[in-house]
Amino acid sequence: MNTDSWRHGVTRYQWLVLLVAWLAWVFDSMDSTIYALVLQPALHDLLRAPGGGPASPEAIGWYGGIIFSIFLVGWAIGGVLFGLVADHFGRTRALVLTILIYAICTGLAALSQTWWQLALFRFLTALGIGGEWAAGAALVAEVWPEDKRTKAAGWLQSAWAAGFFVAAILNLLLRNCGWRPIFVVGVAPAMVALLVFRWVKEPECWVKARAGERQAGGARPSKLTELFAPGLRRGTLVGSGLAFVAVFGLWGATNWTPTLIRALPDLKGLVPSDLTSRVSYATMLLNVGSLAGYLCFGPLADRVGRRPVFALMCLGSLVLLPVTFLTPRTYGQVLLLLPLLGFFNNGIFSGFPIYLPELYPTRIRGTGAGFCFNIGRVLASAGPFLTGYLVTVLGSFGRAASAVAAIYVVGLLILPFARETKGQPLPP
């Protein structure tokens, strides 16, 4: 990719907007990832038997899946709710509020004394995480130049991989401190809210659209109802379906990678700090591939179209999940496969800040993108719960996660109904 050509014509303020949204999504990812990294030690502590005995792997899988599922429900509710807030009150106001919510509630999770308290704090954290994406994606799409929007969206999504790296590094640095201090560090993103409040203004197209709505008074139907109007219904159903597939695969399979690493035979007997280090290194390599996927989606989508790249990511994930989770028998073999899995399984998410804003006019763009990207999480919230159940039936996290990979067949079946938006401007 020729970076000089796509930097030309971008103002300092547009770069500032991308930077601030990128930082918000970095910490969004970090706070989201923290739980996956400390799942086993946290639940090992919180589920300890009354007599002091350790929690069983089955119990950790069961309650871990429940908390993952509750987290996804909160993410879905937050995405829809704050998408509405972003359309009604503004992108920047919604961004500030959601950052504060997920930062503060991540820190509060360190105070958990039971598994259900941890689940509650993760639910509240997820409200902010889901809402931040809706506001940030709409903001970048509306501020950046039309011909450079897909590449900006790819860079925005790359923040998710950066957040994984930050979480993995924190996990590595604090490996001898227990799981609670890692949650405390999650308060740090509150500083980004201050940057948004001071430096970022509402996009001009939103200001005009909102002024038009005020003049129209109560003439328009509710924003959620509009998503299913004849001209928009197909895009809403397709966008929600694709997001459901991507989220189900990620949270039902790939996000169990730290638990898979801890269960590898050649790592048995390591002291907890050394085992935590191995998990951090594996997470970093997974996200090396993820970063490549995020950055490649935009240029590929501009060249061949949105639908073919979504199909490529679904097919790659369908193949790589069972290969990664069932084939390896050693830590070294897993490390070789994780970047490939990350490219497809995580790279697909770069398509959503590109594709979803293209489906809706300005007045309901935040609502539409937030609804599609997050409503599927209500159904996808069954993914971690299903994986936890499959662990008890199939006997291992590897076999359970591999079975979940079949969800990508659903994605391939949805894509023929998707509208191709390559080369088309954002709807006014």
Side-chain angles (χ1 to χ4, degrees):
M1 177 175 62
N2 188 336
T3 55
D4 290 336
S5 64
W6 78 273
R7 286 176 182 172
H8 180 71
V10 180
T11 67
R12 291 180 63 184
Y13 177 72
Q14 288 165 338
W15 279 113
L16 173 64
V17 168
L18 179 59
L19 173 63
V20 170
W22 188 85
L23 286 173
W25 195 230
V26 166
F27 290 117
D28 202 335
S29 169
M30 181 193 79
D31 284 359
S32 175
T33 306
I34 282 173
Y35 172 66
L37 291 173
V38 302
L39 178 153
Q40 191 166 29
L43 291 182
H44 193 275
D45 182 11
L46 297 177
L47 295 175
R48 189 173 292 277
S56 68
E58 291 78 14
I60 291 175
W62 177 258
Y63 288 101
I66 290 175
I67 297 175
F68 266 137
S69 297
I70 290 172
F71 180 80
L72 288 179
V73 171
W75 192 326
I77 294 172
V80 176
L81 173 63
F82 288 104
L84 289 164
V85 170
D87 281 339
H88 191 77
F89 296 103
R91 310 329 191 188
T92 58
R93 293 180 182 89
L95 201 58
V96 169
L97 181 58
T98 54
I99 293 170
L100 290 175
I101 289 172
Y102 76 67
I104 293 171
C105 292
T106 297
L108 289 174
L111 303 177
S112 301
Q113 299 300 315
T114 64
W115 74 268
W116 62 264
Q117 289 176 356
L118 180 59
L120 173 62
F121 288 128
R122 293 307 287 166
F123 173 81
L124 296 175
T125 299
L127 292 177
I129 288 176
E132 190 278 330
W133 186 92
L139 181 66
V140 171
E142 292 170 350
V143 168
W144 265 65
E146 191 66 51
D147 61 332
K148 298 174 176 64
R149 184 169 44 78
T150 59
K151 297 179 180 65
W155 279 103
L156 176 63
Q157 193 62 37
S158 74
W160 190 260
F164 265 74
F165 277 110
V166 173
I169 291 170
L170 286 174
N171 191 44
L172 189 61
L173 294 176
L174 300 175
R175 61 185 180 274
N176 294 316
C177 301
W179 58 273
R180 296 181 190 274
I182 299 178
F183 280 114
V184 173
V185 176
V187 178
M191 295 301 296
V192 179
L194 179 62
L195 300 181
V196 176
F197 182 76
R198 289 180 59 112
W199 293 345
V200 180
K201 60 182 184 291
E202 300 295 346
E204 292 182 10
C205 63
W206 177 83
V207 173
K208 293 178 181 177
R210 187 68 184 129
E213 283 191 314
R214 290 193 182 99
Q215 291 178 358
R220 290 193 180 278
S222 73
K223 295 182 185 297
L224 283 175
T225 303
E226 282 191 85
L227 301 183
F228 295 93
L232 298 173
R233 184 187 304 119
R234 174 181 166 189
T236 298
L237 294 175
V238 167
S240 300
L242 289 175
F244 158 68
V245 168
V247 173
F248 195 99
L250 180 69
W251 290 91
T254 308
N255 272 8
W256 291 90
T257 297
T259 305
L260 171 72
I261 297 296
R262 293 177 184 274
L264 287 172
D266 62 332
L267 299 186
K268 295 293 184 183
L270 289 181
V271 298
S273 60
D274 287 344
L275 189 56
T276 297
S277 298
R278 301 297 197 282
V279 170
S280 294
Y281 297 142
T283 303
M284 290 177 189
L285 278 177
L286 174 71
N287 286 281
V288 167
S290 301
L291 180 60
Y294 295 144
L295 297 179
C296 286
F297 197 110
L300 287 173
D302 276 344
R303 182 177 293 272
V304 301
R306 281 55 167 158
R307 292 197 308 178
V309 186
F310 272 120
L312 173 67
M313 297 298 182
C314 285
L315 185 60
S317 300
L318 177 64
V319 173
L320 262 299
L321 263 173
V323 169
T324 303
F325 277 75
L326 287 181
T327 304
R329 292 293 180 267
T330 67
Y331 180 67
Q333 291 171 345
V334 173
L335 294 185
L336 292 175
L337 290 168
L338 284 176
L340 293 173
L341 174 63
F343 181 90
F344 295 105
N345 190 260
N346 286 275
I348 191 173
F349 284 89
S350 212
F352 296 115
I354 296 171
Y355 186 60
L356 297 181
E358 295 172 339
L359 300 178
Y360 301 100
T362 301
R363 69 179 183 278
I364 58 170
R365 183 165 293 125
T367 301
F371 181 90
C372 290
F373 192 59
N374 293 289
I375 197 62
R377 293 175 192 274
V378 175
L379 296 174
S381 65
F385 183 80
L386 174 64
T387 306
Y389 170 74
L390 289 175
V391 170
T392 65
V393 174
L394 301 177
S396 76
F397 285 101
R399 285 192 285 271
S402 298
V404 171
I407 192 64
Y408 290 102
V409 175
V410 177
L412 294 171
L413 294 175
I414 290 173
L415 281 171
F417 300 96
R419 179 168 62 89
E420 180 56 67
T421 55
K422 175 181 176 248
Q424 299 176 13
L426 281 178

